[in-house]
Amino acid sequence: MLTLRHTTLPDPDGHHPALRLKGDWLLVGIGDGQHVGLGEISHNGDDTACLRRVRELFEAHVAGAPGGFELNLAAITALDRGVFTTAPDFITATAISGINQALLDLVAQRAGVPVWRLFRPEGAPVHAEV
């Protein structure tokens, strides 16, 4: 069973209005009881509304998915090409992005690989490890 949580990481430099994207970072975590995948939803314009939207989307399409949600790259891709294809507003788009990042991070952690490796074509050579 997947769970959802969130945390705020304070900006060590504080918020500076002249640097519009400075400030605290808001992260969502999707956990499986052993690993937690992280997604970032900072600077969305309304943290409370964005967190509410994350919860709604998570409950409807991940935790409460009809028939269950099989945690793998194919299932995440199906969300991206299906219900997560478009968003009616910036808050929803940010929420979708955070869920997507967290799910991909969780799948990668469970596989013991970096996220980029999930997208490497099977058999493709790797010239440099990061």
Side-chain angles (χ1 to χ4, degrees):
M1 181 167 158
L2 299 177
T3 59
L4 178 70
R5 58 184 168 183
H6 72 276
T7 191
T8 300
L9 297 176
D11 184 332
D13 301 324
H15 179 76
H16 302 285
L19 302 172
R20 293 177 42 207
L21 294 181
K22 291 288 288 172
D24 295 343
W25 291 88
L26 183 57
L27 304 174
V28 293
I30 298 177
D32 65 2
Q34 185 175 2
H35 302 94
V36 177
L38 297 177
E40 184 264 326
I41 59 169
S42 308
H43 315 301
N44 56 64
D46 185 340
D47 287 349
T48 301
C50 194
L51 283 170
R52 182 174 45 249
R53 193 67 180 126
V54 165
R55 279 189 221 96
E56 293 168 356
L57 292 167
F58 176 79
E59 290 299 324
H61 303 293
V62 180
F69 184 81
E70 189 173 338
L71 184 60
N72 58 43
L73 186 56
I76 298 167
T77 301
L79 279 178
D80 289 344
R81 292 182 178 161
V83 295
F84 285 3
T85 299
T86 60
D89 53 61
F90 185 68
I91 294 286
T92 302
T94 304
I96 287 170
S97 176
I99 292 169
N100 178 277
Q101 292 167 43
L103 289 171
L104 289 171
D105 188 31
L106 182 56
V107 167
Q109 286 183 45
R110 290 172 66 155
V113 299
V115 172
W116 67 265
R117 188 156 289 168
L118 297 176
F119 299 97
R120 188 177 125 228
E122 207 51 46
V126 176
H127 299 288
E129 292 290 326
V130 177

